[in-house]
Amino acid sequence: EGSARHVFDYLADEVLSRQPEDVREFLVKTSIVETLNGPLCEALTDATDGQEMLERLERANLFLVPLDEGGRYYRYHHLFAAFLRERLGRVYPDAILELHRRAQLWYEEDGCLAGALEHALAAEDFDRAADLIEEETSIVRRTYVDASLLLRWLGALPDQLVRNRLELCLLYAWALVHSGQLENAERRLRDTEEGLGLDARASTTGLSDKERTMLGEICIIRARMAA
């Protein structure tokens, strides 16, 4: 911890403090994303020179790592990125949620649901995050989503929100089964059944087609658990 603090102090004194104000603001505000490109940086900073600024930083050797030969994608050195995020929390604490919201919107428009989802969670926009989880893990694509990643996403949501959205309950159960957490999976299946009203009636009469599909999925998941 002491050595990391020393490095942070060095970065602050020898690098960041020597930069013009526009560069300092750019560095700090763009530190919330892992991969940088011109349009994304512009969305985060309200500027129109995102690509030019990235090229400027690269020429100045400001801990910017190019990720492609064309010079379109970059990332900050991981230690420098951690330093910048710490500085963001001290200099612009009230801007953090808004920056994540901007990143979420940009990733949505770019068609990257996973990126949008990560920033929706960071922005604490849990309803939108839940929507994105359902979009990213549609029934067709469900088997291709990493279970541990799905558990992390769902675990970041308020529990009551998950219980209120039955498709998320089923997704949670699916991911838990694939992770070997059968007891927790069974609890999520019971939450789903309770939401469908199956705990209060013996018959499935009155269920919609969508609810019947969910009931079938519950049976499939329980069969998987038994196997």
Side-chain angles (χ1 to χ4, degrees), residues 32-217:
I32 67 159
V33 295
E34 296 294 330
T35 301
L36 303 156
N37 63 51
L40 175 55
C41 290
E42 290 172 3
L44 293 171
T45 61
D46 282 329
T48 58
D49 61 346
Q51 183 62 35
E52 292 84 349
M53 183 67 82
L54 289 170
E55 293 172 0
R56 176 180 169 186
L57 297 178
E58 183 182 17
R59 288 194 301 270
N61 295 316
L62 281 178
F63 302 98
L64 194 66
V65 181
L67 299 178
D68 67 328
E69 294 183 0
R72 293 183 58 211
Y73 297 97
Y74 298 85
R75 67 170 176 83
Y76 294 122
H77 183 280
H78 67 90
L79 189 58
F80 190 53
F83 161 72
L84 291 174
R85 285 191 288 270
E86 183 194 59
R87 178 60 64 92
L88 174 64
R90 287 191 284 116
V91 178
Y92 302 109
D94 296 333
I96 294 175
L97 295 183
E98 172 63 16
L99 289 169
H100 282 295
R101 188 189 69 82
R102 291 184 181 196
Q104 170 217 322
L105 292 174
W106 187 89
Y107 276 114
E108 280 194 53
E109 292 176 3
D110 196 52
C112 179
L113 289 181
L117 175 53
E118 295 285 352
H119 287 286
L121 290 171
E124 299 178 6
D125 187 351
F126 297 122
D127 286 321
R128 186 56 188 145
D131 292 339
L132 290 168
I133 290 173
E134 290 179 352
E135 289 181 43
E136 180 70 8
T137 56
S138 63
I139 291 176
V140 174
R141 301 176 59 190
R142 185 165 304 181
T143 55
Y144 301 103
V145 178
D146 181 80
S148 61
L149 182 61
L150 190 52
L151 287 178
R152 182 167 65 80
W153 287 342
L154 291 167
L157 296 176
D159 187 66
Q160 191 58 49
L161 175 62
V162 176
R163 291 166 61 93
N164 289 343
R165 298 180 65 144
L166 301 186
E167 291 188 10
L168 291 186
C169 277
L170 277 178
L171 283 170
Y172 220 151
W174 177 89
L176 289 164
V177 167
H178 280 267
S179 300
Q181 302 179 50
L182 301 188
E183 291 184 9
N184 290 335
E186 177 59 30
R187 280 194 288 270
R188 290 298 173 183
L189 292 178
R190 290 176 182 171
D191 287 340
T192 308
E193 290 174 329
E194 181 180 345
L196 291 170
L198 297 180
D199 59 326
R201 59 185 177 185
S203 172
T204 60
T205 303
L207 291 180
S208 67
D209 289 343
K210 181 178 180 179
E211 289 171 334
R212 289 182 181 279
T213 298
M214 295 177 71
L215 179 59
E217 195 166 354

Side-chain angles (χ1 to χ4, degrees), residues 4-17 63 83:
R5 181 74 263 167
H6 176 74
V7 172
F8 276 12
D9 290 342
Y10 165 77
L11 291 171
D13 294 338
E14 300 298 325
V15 178
L16 197 63
S17 63
F63 302 98
F83 161 72

